[in-house]
Amino acid sequence: STLTMKVTVGNSYAANWHTWLIHQNGMSSLFNVAQPITVPPATITKTASLPKSGKVGVLSTLSTATKGIVCSSWQQIATPAP
C-alpha cells in the first residue's frame, strides 16, 4: 500500500521536480518540488500511497521555465493482486 522510491538526482542547475503516479483509473501528482543544484548526485527517498493491485507507473521529470523538460524517467511497477 506504500511505494518507496529511492531516486538518484544530479542536476547542475535549479529545476522543478514533478512526479506522477499512473494507474488504470488515471493519473495523480505525487509531488512537485523545487530541486536545487545537486552536485554530486544524491539519493533521495520519497514515499507515496499505492493502489493495491495491477500495474502502475511512475513518471518523473526535471524541468525549467526556459528549457522545459530537461530530464525524464519512467518506471513500471507490478503490484500484487488483491
Side-chain angles (χ1 to χ4, degrees), residues 3 5 7 9 16-21 28-35 44-48 58-62:
L3 172 66
M5 299 168 281
V7 182
V9 177
N16 186 49
W17 182 12
H18 201 156
T19 300
W20 297 268
L21 178 68
S28 56
S29 177
L30 292 178
F31 58 88
N32 185 12
V33 297
Q35 180 63 35
I44 299 171
T45 302
K46 296 280 191 178
T47 59
V58 175
L59 173 63
S60 190
T61 64
L62 288 175

Side-chain angles (χ1 to χ4, degrees), residues 25-74:
N25 296 324
M27 181 171 100
S28 56
S29 177
L30 292 178
F31 58 88
N32 185 12
V33 297
Q35 180 63 35
I37 294 170
T38 311
V39 176
T43 300
I44 299 171
T45 302
K46 296 280 191 178
T47 59
S49 296
L50 186 66
K52 292 190 178 192
S53 67
K55 290 183 181 178
V56 298
V58 175
L59 173 63
S60 190
T61 64
L62 288 175
S63 63
T64 70
T66 57
K67 296 182 181 183
I69 295 174
V70 294
C71 179
S72 65
S73 176
W74 166 260

